[in-house]
Amino acid sequence: MAISLPDLPYKKDELAPYISANTLEFHYGKHHKTYVDNLNKLIAGTDLADKPLEEIIKITTKDAAKAGIFNNAAQVWNHSFYWQGLKKKGGGKPSEAIAAKINSTWGSYDKFAEELKNAGVTQFGSGWAWLVLEGSQLKITKTANADTPLAHGQKALLTIDVWEHAYYLDYQNKRPDYLAAVIQNLINWDFVNANLE
Ligand code: MN3
């Protein structure tokens, strides 16, 4: 049972102009696929070969000798999760349960949006900005490289990839503009609400 590359939940041109088809050709078609291929090569013939992706991540998290497997497995998971958190005509203010929880945690959607963007802007180098649940508490966090909330006992609700490959073709060095565009136009709040349940 090899780990497979999941289908994108939309066509490659549907997130434009905020994320172009060109970016998705490379980001999904090359980067994400390469993490899947590398992971399958690394686990082939080992006792991890038949394990689900989440279990591979948890088993290899604290094992320095398995850092290569952890990095590729976590990047496979993080990317699959990132794609699901985006949609055409998404973004803006949330609804339902997550809206109430955001308001009670940050006081307003605007404050939340500012802090989420700030997490992505201030992640030094490659990584991810996250909305997570820690216990019953909402938190905005950032992780470096492949690191993931799964490795920290947190439940991921939403992520934004801030590796340069996520935005450089469309925004060059302007990471803040990419983050603002994703938050305003692409967040799939239905996905976030489903994760909250
Ligand atoms: Mn990426």
Side-chain angles (χ1 to χ4, degrees):
M1 182 185 75
I3 302 295
S4 58
L5 180 68
D7 291 336
L8 278 180
Y10 28 74
K11 296 196 189 86
K12 289 199 185 82
D13 61 2
E14 283 188 312
L15 302 184
Y18 311 109
I19 295 176
S20 67
N22 191 28
T23 287
L24 285 176
E25 288 288 345
F26 283 92
H27 196 182
Y28 170 76
K30 307 287 185 192
H31 291 272
H32 192 180
K33 181 178 186 301
T34 298
Y35 294 127
V36 172
D37 292 346
N38 285 344
L39 177 61
N40 282 321
K41 281 180 208 156
L42 287 166
I43 63 176
T46 76
D47 56 357
L48 294 173
D50 294 326
K51 298 268 194 292
L53 183 60
E54 287 82 356
E55 207 169 321
I56 294 172
I57 292 169
K58 285 172 185 167
I59 289 169
T60 58
T61 294
K62 304 284 185 212
D63 187 346
K66 295 200 166 71
I69 295 175
F70 173 81
N71 285 336
N72 283 284
Q75 283 294 78
V76 170
W77 192 91
N78 289 349
H79 282 90
S80 300
F81 192 79
Y82 168 59
W83 306 132
Q84 293 177 77
L86 307 178
K87 70 169 192 176
K88 180 183 181 178
K89 294 184 179 167
K93 290 192 177 179
S95 58
E96 300 175 39
I98 193 65
K101 214 160 166 61
I102 282 174
N103 284 333
S104 68
T105 306
W106 287 281
S108 69
Y109 164 79
D110 289 344
K111 181 69 178 158
F112 157 80
E114 181 190 324
E115 293 209 7
L116 180 60
K117 180 181 170 187
N118 193 45
V121 169
T122 59
Q123 169 52 39
F124 187 78
S126 296
W128 303 81
W130 300 89
L131 175 64
V132 303
L133 263 184
E134 196 173 82
S136 60
Q137 181 68 41
L138 280 187
K139 287 190 173 176
I140 290 169
T141 65
K142 52 191 176 182
T143 61
N145 301 317
D147 198 13
T148 182
L150 269 73
H152 302 282
Q154 298 162 328
K155 181 173 174 51
L157 301 178
L158 176 75
T159 192
I160 305 177
D161 189 341
V162 297
W163 284 57
E164 284 188 349
H165 65 225
Y167 60 87
Y168 220 84
L169 293 173
D170 296 327
Y171 300 87
Q172 284 76 55
N173 60 317
K174 300 188 193 85
R175 189 192 286 185
D177 291 2
Y178 155 74
L179 283 156
V182 168
I183 292 167
Q184 285 162 25
N185 303 287
L186 296 180
I187 290 177
N188 183 347
W189 287 115
D190 294 336
F191 177 68
V192 180
N193 268 310
N195 290 328
L196 194 56
E197 278 174 10

mmCIF file of all heavy atoms in Angstrom, residues 27-28 31-32 35 75 78-79 82-83 127-128 161-166 178, ligand 1:
data_model
loop_
_atom_site.group_PDB
_atom_site.id
_atom_site.type_symbol
_atom_site.label_atom_id
_atom_site.label_comp_id
_atom_site.label_asym_id
_atom_site.label_seq_id
_atom_site.Cartn_x
_atom_site.Cartn_y
_atom_site.Cartn_z
ATOM 1 N N HIS A 27 3.663 23.530 -7.910
ATOM 2 C CA HIS A 27 3.549 23.281 -6.473
ATOM 3 C C HIS A 27 2.892 21.924 -6.190
ATOM 4 O O HIS A 27 3.379 21.137 -5.374
ATOM 5 C CB HIS A 27 2.755 24.425 -5.829
ATOM 6 C CG HIS A 27 2.878 24.488 -4.345
ATOM 7 N ND1 HIS A 27 2.221 25.413 -3.583
ATOM 8 C CD2 HIS A 27 3.589 23.726 -3.467
ATOM 9 C CE1 HIS A 27 2.528 25.214 -2.314
ATOM 10 N NE2 HIS A 27 3.341 24.207 -2.215
ATOM 11 N N TYR A 28 1.794 21.661 -6.878
ATOM 12 C CA TYR A 28 1.115 20.363 -6.729
ATOM 13 C C TYR A 28 1.771 19.299 -7.616
ATOM 14 O O TYR A 28 2.126 18.211 -7.146
ATOM 15 C CB TYR A 28 -0.365 20.515 -7.088
ATOM 16 C CG TYR A 28 -1.110 19.210 -7.207
ATOM 17 C CD1 TYR A 28 -1.492 18.480 -6.076
ATOM 18 C CD2 TYR A 28 -1.423 18.685 -8.469
ATOM 19 C CE1 TYR A 28 -2.166 17.274 -6.200
ATOM 20 C CE2 TYR A 28 -2.100 17.484 -8.591
ATOM 21 C CZ TYR A 28 -2.469 16.781 -7.458
ATOM 22 O OH TYR A 28 -3.130 15.577 -7.578
ATOM 23 N N HIS A 31 6.306 19.706 -6.737
ATOM 24 C CA HIS A 31 6.763 19.653 -5.341
ATOM 25 C C HIS A 31 6.007 18.603 -4.526
ATOM 26 O O HIS A 31 6.623 17.735 -3.897
ATOM 27 C CB HIS A 31 6.619 21.031 -4.681
ATOM 28 C CG HIS A 31 7.568 22.050 -5.211
ATOM 29 N ND1 HIS A 31 8.841 22.227 -4.704
ATOM 30 C CD2 HIS A 31 7.442 22.949 -6.217
ATOM 31 C CE1 HIS A 31 9.463 23.183 -5.372
ATOM 32 N NE2 HIS A 31 8.632 23.645 -6.300
ATOM 33 N N HIS A 32 4.676 18.686 -4.510
ATOM 34 C CA HIS A 32 3.896 17.744 -3.707
ATOM 35 C C HIS A 32 4.130 16.309 -4.202
ATOM 36 O O HIS A 32 4.350 15.388 -3.413
ATOM 37 C CB HIS A 32 2.410 18.125 -3.783
ATOM 38 C CG HIS A 32 1.525 17.427 -2.795
ATOM 39 N ND1 HIS A 32 0.173 17.658 -2.723
ATOM 40 C CD2 HIS A 32 1.784 16.494 -1.841
ATOM 41 C CE1 HIS A 32 -0.358 16.902 -1.767
ATOM 42 N NE2 HIS A 32 0.593 16.190 -1.216
ATOM 43 N N TYR A 35 7.419 14.885 -2.961
ATOM 44 C CA TYR A 35 7.385 14.420 -1.570
ATOM 45 C C TYR A 35 6.759 13.023 -1.496
ATOM 46 O O TYR A 35 7.228 12.157 -0.741
ATOM 47 C CB TYR A 35 6.588 15.393 -0.689
ATOM 48 C CG TYR A 35 7.213 16.761 -0.531
ATOM 49 C CD1 TYR A 35 6.481 17.923 -0.816
ATOM 50 C CD2 TYR A 35 8.523 16.920 -0.072
ATOM 51 C CE1 TYR A 35 7.032 19.192 -0.665
ATOM 52 C CE2 TYR A 35 9.080 18.169 0.079
ATOM 53 C CZ TYR A 35 8.329 19.310 -0.213
ATOM 54 O OH TYR A 35 8.882 20.560 -0.068
ATOM 55 N N GLN A 75 5.454 16.682 4.810
ATOM 56 C CA GLN A 75 5.176 17.558 3.669
ATOM 57 C C GLN A 75 4.038 17.004 2.800
ATOM 58 O O GLN A 75 3.232 17.774 2.271
ATOM 59 C CB GLN A 75 6.439 17.769 2.823
ATOM 60 C CG GLN A 75 7.417 18.763 3.439
ATOM 61 C CD GLN A 75 6.846 20.181 3.494
ATOM 62 O OE1 GLN A 75 6.034 20.494 4.366
ATOM 63 N NE2 GLN A 75 7.243 21.029 2.574
ATOM 64 N N ASN A 78 0.950 17.917 4.980
ATOM 65 C CA ASN A 78 0.719 19.370 5.034
ATOM 66 C C ASN A 78 0.150 19.892 3.716
ATOM 67 O O ASN A 78 -0.764 20.714 3.705
ATOM 68 C CB ASN A 78 2.032 20.108 5.335
ATOM 69 C CG ASN A 78 2.522 19.905 6.756
ATOM 70 O OD1 ASN A 78 1.801 19.384 7.608
ATOM 71 N ND2 ASN A 78 3.768 20.299 7.010
ATOM 72 N N HIS A 79 0.695 19.422 2.593
ATOM 73 C CA HIS A 79 0.209 19.904 1.293
ATOM 74 C C HIS A 79 -1.216 19.437 1.009
ATOM 75 O O HIS A 79 -2.047 20.220 0.559
ATOM 76 C CB HIS A 79 1.161 19.487 0.167
ATOM 77 C CG HIS A 79 2.379 20.345 0.089
ATOM 78 N ND1 HIS A 79 3.530 20.052 0.776
ATOM 79 C CD2 HIS A 79 2.611 21.516 -0.562
ATOM 80 C CE1 HIS A 79 4.428 21.008 0.541
ATOM 81 N NE2 HIS A 79 3.896 21.909 -0.263
ATOM 82 N N TYR A 82 -3.379 21.627 3.041
ATOM 83 C CA TYR A 82 -3.392 23.000 2.490
ATOM 84 C C TYR A 82 -4.349 23.110 1.310
ATOM 85 O O TYR A 82 -5.180 24.037 1.264
ATOM 86 C CB TYR A 82 -1.961 23.345 2.086
ATOM 87 C CG TYR A 82 -1.722 24.577 1.256
ATOM 88 C CD1 TYR A 82 -2.092 25.857 1.683
ATOM 89 C CD2 TYR A 82 -1.057 24.475 0.022
ATOM 90 C CE1 TYR A 82 -1.808 26.981 0.917
ATOM 91 C CE2 TYR A 82 -0.769 25.596 -0.744
ATOM 92 C CZ TYR A 82 -1.148 26.842 -0.299
ATOM 93 O OH TYR A 82 -0.866 27.952 -1.066
ATOM 94 N N TRP A 83 -4.279 22.166 0.359
ATOM 95 C CA TRP A 83 -5.166 22.238 -0.817
ATOM 96 C C TRP A 83 -6.620 22.216 -0.400
ATOM 97 O O TRP A 83 -7.444 22.943 -0.957
ATOM 98 C CB TRP A 83 -4.911 21.079 -1.790
ATOM 99 C CG TRP A 83 -3.516 20.890 -2.260
ATOM 100 C CD1 TRP A 83 -2.813 19.712 -2.291
ATOM 101 C CD2 TRP A 83 -2.620 21.884 -2.788
ATOM 102 N NE1 TRP A 83 -1.549 19.927 -2.784
ATOM 103 C CE2 TRP A 83 -1.406 21.242 -3.094
ATOM 104 C CE3 TRP A 83 -2.730 23.259 -3.018
ATOM 105 C CZ2 TRP A 83 -0.297 21.920 -3.633
ATOM 106 C CZ3 TRP A 83 -1.637 23.943 -3.539
ATOM 107 C CH2 TRP A 83 -0.442 23.271 -3.844
ATOM 108 N N GLY A 127 8.204 27.396 5.666
ATOM 109 C CA GLY A 127 7.339 26.848 6.697
ATOM 110 C C GLY A 127 5.879 27.062 6.406
ATOM 111 O O GLY A 127 5.481 27.220 5.248
ATOM 112 N N TRP A 128 5.098 27.084 7.486
ATOM 113 C CA TRP A 128 3.647 27.067 7.400
ATOM 114 C C TRP A 128 3.037 27.934 8.498
ATOM 115 O O TRP A 128 3.534 27.943 9.625
ATOM 116 C CB TRP A 128 3.130 25.629 7.594
ATOM 117 C CG TRP A 128 3.684 24.647 6.618
ATOM 118 C CD1 TRP A 128 4.895 24.022 6.672
ATOM 119 C CD2 TRP A 128 3.054 24.191 5.414
ATOM 120 N NE1 TRP A 128 5.052 23.201 5.578
ATOM 121 C CE2 TRP A 128 3.950 23.278 4.794
ATOM 122 C CE3 TRP A 128 1.815 24.454 4.811
ATOM 123 C CZ2 TRP A 128 3.633 22.644 3.592
ATOM 124 C CZ3 TRP A 128 1.513 23.813 3.621
ATOM 125 C CH2 TRP A 128 2.415 22.922 3.025
ATOM 126 N N ASP A 161 0.706 27.626 3.245
ATOM 127 C CA ASP A 161 2.100 27.314 2.911
ATOM 128 C C ASP A 161 2.847 28.615 2.666
ATOM 129 O O ASP A 161 2.417 29.428 1.845
ATOM 130 C CB ASP A 161 2.089 26.438 1.640
ATOM 131 C CG ASP A 161 3.448 25.850 1.279
ATOM 132 O OD1 ASP A 161 4.480 26.369 1.751
ATOM 133 O OD2 ASP A 161 3.459 24.868 0.507
ATOM 134 N N VAL A 162 3.964 28.830 3.378
ATOM 135 C CA VAL A 162 4.759 30.032 3.110
ATOM 136 C C VAL A 162 6.170 29.701 2.610
ATOM 137 O O VAL A 162 7.073 30.535 2.679
ATOM 138 C CB VAL A 162 4.808 31.010 4.319
ATOM 139 C CG1 VAL A 162 3.412 31.534 4.624
ATOM 140 C CG2 VAL A 162 5.421 30.388 5.551
ATOM 141 N N TRP A 163 6.366 28.469 2.107
ATOM 142 C CA TRP A 163 7.594 28.196 1.360
ATOM 143 C C TRP A 163 7.579 29.094 0.118
ATOM 144 O O TRP A 163 6.518 29.349 -0.455
ATOM 145 C CB TRP A 163 7.635 26.737 0.905
ATOM 146 C CG TRP A 163 7.954 25.725 1.963
ATOM 147 C CD1 TRP A 163 7.295 25.509 3.138
ATOM 148 C CD2 TRP A 163 9.006 24.751 1.926
ATOM 149 N NE1 TRP A 163 7.872 24.474 3.825
ATOM 150 C CE2 TRP A 163 8.918 23.994 3.105
ATOM 151 C CE3 TRP A 163 10.001 24.454 0.999
ATOM 152 C CZ2 TRP A 163 9.811 22.953 3.389
ATOM 153 C CZ3 TRP A 163 10.881 23.420 1.273
ATOM 154 C CH2 TRP A 163 10.792 22.676 2.461
ATOM 155 N N GLU A 164 8.743 29.507 -0.343
ATOM 156 C CA GLU A 164 8.775 30.376 -1.533
ATOM 157 C C GLU A 164 8.087 29.737 -2.732
ATOM 158 O O GLU A 164 7.476 30.434 -3.542
ATOM 159 C CB GLU A 164 10.220 30.758 -1.893
ATOM 160 C CG GLU A 164 10.768 31.827 -0.962
ATOM 161 C CD GLU A 164 12.121 32.369 -1.408
ATOM 162 O OE1 GLU A 164 12.741 31.775 -2.310
ATOM 163 O OE2 GLU A 164 12.536 33.393 -0.844
ATOM 164 N N HIS A 165 8.144 28.402 -2.857
ATOM 165 C CA HIS A 165 7.519 27.769 -4.030
ATOM 166 C C HIS A 165 6.001 27.969 -4.046
ATOM 167 O O HIS A 165 5.362 27.774 -5.063
ATOM 168 C CB HIS A 165 7.902 26.282 -4.153
ATOM 169 C CG HIS A 165 7.401 25.391 -3.045
ATOM 170 N ND1 HIS A 165 8.201 24.451 -2.424
ATOM 171 C CD2 HIS A 165 6.190 25.285 -2.453
ATOM 172 C CE1 HIS A 165 7.485 23.812 -1.509
ATOM 173 N NE2 HIS A 165 6.262 24.302 -1.508
ATOM 174 N N ALA A 166 5.416 28.353 -2.897
ATOM 175 C CA ALA A 166 3.964 28.569 -2.834
ATOM 176 C C ALA A 166 3.549 29.881 -3.488
ATOM 177 O O ALA A 166 2.393 30.024 -3.905
ATOM 178 C CB ALA A 166 3.498 28.548 -1.374
ATOM 179 N N TYR A 178 0.731 37.681 -0.914
ATOM 180 C CA TYR A 178 0.196 36.320 -1.092
ATOM 181 C C TYR A 178 -0.688 35.932 0.088
ATOM 182 O O TYR A 178 -1.818 35.454 -0.090
ATOM 183 C CB TYR A 178 1.365 35.347 -1.262
ATOM 184 C CG TYR A 178 1.102 33.907 -0.877
ATOM 185 C CD1 TYR A 178 0.322 33.067 -1.672
ATOM 186 C CD2 TYR A 178 1.661 33.370 0.287
ATOM 187 C CE1 TYR A 178 0.105 31.749 -1.322
ATOM 188 C CE2 TYR A 178 1.461 32.054 0.643
ATOM 189 C CZ TYR A 178 0.676 31.245 -0.159
ATOM 190 O OH TYR A 178 0.462 29.929 0.204
HETATM 191 MN MN MN3 B 1 4.631 23.772 -0.577
#
